Amino acid sequence: MSAHLLFINSLFRPRSSCRLSYRVRHLAIPSASTPNLKSSFRETLVTGPSLDDFISGEPIEHVVLGNTKGPRLPSFLKTKIPSGASFNKIKKDLRGLGLHTVCEEARCPNIGDCWGGKEGATAEEGKRAATATIMLMGDTCTRGCRFCSVKTSRTPPPLDPHEPENTAEAISRWGLGYIVLTSVDRDDLVDGGAHHFAETIMKIKQKAPHILVEALTGDFAGNLENVSLVAKSGLDVYAHNIETVEELTPFVRDRRATFRQSLKVLEHAKKEGVRVTKTSIMLGVGETEEQVMDALRELRKINVDVVTFGQYMRPTKRHMKVDRYVEPSEFDRWKQIADDMGFSYVASGPLVRSSYKAGEYFIENMLKGKATENRVTNLVTQEASTSHTQTT
């Protein structure tokens, strides 16, 4: 073997000293510079807060959870989870017929109260006392008001031609004494959905003429012919909400809705012979007392019969913030002011909404009273006419 090969083999041959190095165990001995962890932890405990610091009356730090900038939700605005036989029946009927309610879409806090009927009453009495607000023309609106949680789109789905029939069938099946119909705004339609609205009311009156119908409509983009179409459909109450005072309307409602346009809608409905006109105002959006007074004066000028006051409740964080939560005593004061101004009926309270059932009891009696008054007037007129004919 050559010297060159011997040299190469010696490089790769394991040596005994290398094998011994793998068997040697080395102990880790802390150096003088490494701190003792146990002693440092012990010192931290000694110098840190004691038990007395945790149980003393003066806390070291305050931990704040939630939104501290906005006003807290007061207890009088908290409601119970909806339940009850009447509530479940109405919900089941709605799902079966594919109908929508503003109670659900707008997340109304009174849904359990209105759908639940009268507490402690019989099933039939509870059914008659229950109030549901049907939302026609789908669940998608062409407008985007800053306070409303209803879905919006420039091109909502087409109208369901069977909706008027289905709505009338559902209402007659429930046996309710008072029903509220409302709708999303449909600026994509030529008539704003006025014919669809009127057809629904007429079918309800055909199937159940004893039911009183309130129509809560939009402004139909200011087209008064469409207002006339709904007003002459056989309804009992024409409602259109101004929502807020004139000064805040551009900031609260969709830019296509104006305070003056809403007044024209209510005024025209009255001219078309509607017995009761109705509107609603939200409080807590930044209005002043004088602005609310001005709005009430404008409503009295056009002979609006019913006005309701309610607290604005922010549906989601994407919507307009609550300026303040109005105390129940202030709602009572606005009720007294509106009563003194001559409104036929005023519903005012933190949880009151435009279709809240508290108003329906009075309106129902008012409508029946006006009907009786009209019958008496007609009888007197007929008797006077008959006696005049006999005399001549």
Side-chain angles (χ1 to χ4, degrees), residues 194 197-198 201 215 217 220 224-238 265 268-275 277:
F197 215 128
I201 295 171
T217 75
F220 297 112
L224 298 182
E225 292 182 2
N226 293 330
V227 176
S228 298
L229 187 64
V230 177
K232 294 179 178 179
S233 63
L235 54 76
D236 299 286
V237 178
Y238 195 110
V265 169
H268 191 73
K270 198 73 172 179
K271 289 179 180 178
E272 291 293 348
V274 174
R275 288 182 288 175
T277 52

Side-chain angles (χ1 to χ4, degrees), residues 86-104 111 115 132-135 166-167 170-171 173-174 179:
S86 179
F87 173 86
N88 293 329
K89 184 180 187 307
I90 289 178
K91 190 171 185 178
K92 182 179 179 182
D93 287 346
L94 288 168
R95 297 293 82 80
L97 292 171
L99 301 178
H100 304 280
T101 66
V102 72
C103 316
E104 295 173 295
I111 186 170
W115 288 18
T133 304
I134 302 296
M135 188 160 68
N166 288 341
T167 302
I171 291 170
R173 185 186 302 175
W174 292 338
I179 190 71

Side-chain angles (χ1 to χ4, degrees), residues 369-384:
K370 285 195 173 187
T372 304
E373 182 182 340
N374 291 337
R375 284 197 296 270
V376 171
T377 303
N378 291 334
L379 287 173
V380 171
T381 303
Q382 290 175 3
E383 289 179 0

Side-chain angles (χ1 to χ4, degrees), residues 12-25:
F12 292 96
R13 187 183 301 126
R15 298 182 179 181
S16 59
S17 61
C18 295
R19 288 195 298 272
L20 290 174
S21 64
Y22 291 112
R23 298 190 183 98
V24 175
R25 298 180 64 186

Side-chain angles (χ1 to χ4, degrees), residues 280 306-310 331 335 339 345-349 352-353 356 358-359:
S280 182
V306 179
V307 63
T308 66
F309 296 92
F331 280 105
K335 174 176 172 53
D339 282 334
Y345 177 71
V346 182
S348 182
V352 169
R353 296 296 179 265
Y356 185 56

Side-chain angles (χ1 to χ4, degrees), residues 125-311:
E125 290 174 341
K127 188 192 300 181
R128 287 198 302 267
T131 302
T133 304
I134 302 296
M135 188 160 68
L136 304 175
M137 298 185 270
D139 61 351
T140 306
C141 187
T142 54
R143 297 188 184 182
C145 296
R146 295 185 61 201
F147 63 88
C148 184
S149 64
V150 175
K151 293 185 293 186
T152 61
S153 173
R154 293 181 179 178
T155 56
L159 298 181
D160 177 9
H162 302 292
E163 185 177 47
E165 178 68 27
N166 288 341
T167 302
E169 179 64 30
I171 291 170
S172 61
R173 185 186 302 175
W174 292 338
L176 305 179
Y178 193 103
I179 190 71
V180 181
L181 300 177
T182 189
S183 73
V184 293
D185 281 295
R186 293 298 299 263
D187 297 295
D188 59 314
L189 303 175
V190 176
D191 67 344
H195 284 85
H196 192 87
F197 215 128
E199 183 185 358
T200 304
I201 295 171
M202 288 186 286
K203 286 188 176 294
I204 292 172
K205 288 295 186 179
Q206 289 171 3
K207 290 180 176 289
H210 65 281
I211 294 179
L212 298 173
V213 178
E214 174 183 327
L216 174 59
T217 75
D219 58 14
F220 297 112
N223 189 322
L224 298 182
E225 292 182 2
N226 293 330
V227 176
S228 298
L229 187 64
V230 177
K232 294 179 178 179
S233 63
L235 54 76
D236 299 286
V237 178
Y238 195 110
H240 174 68
N241 293 338
I242 61 172
E243 306 294 1
T244 187
V245 297
E246 184 171 12
E247 291 81 357
L248 295 180
T249 296
F251 309 101
V252 174
R253 302 173 68 186
D254 186 274
R255 58 180 176 79
R256 287 163 284 188
T258 68
F259 184 83
R260 294 292 159 180
Q261 186 165 277
S262 292
L263 291 180
K264 289 179 181 178
V265 169
L266 291 165
E267 183 179 22
H268 191 73
K270 198 73 172 179
K271 289 179 180 178
E272 291 293 348
V274 174
R275 288 182 288 175
V276 177
T277 52
K278 179 181 176 183
T279 194
S280 182
I281 300 175
M282 295 182 298
L283 300 181
V285 298
E287 71 286 337
T288 66
E289 182 173 337
E290 188 55 37
Q291 289 171 348
V292 177
M293 287 298 300
D294 289 340
L296 292 176
R297 294 187 192 102
E298 294 295 331
L299 293 172
R300 286 307 302 137
K301 287 179 183 178
I302 58 174
N303 296 319
V304 171
D305 300 288
V306 179
V307 63
T308 66
F309 296 92
Q311 169 69 53

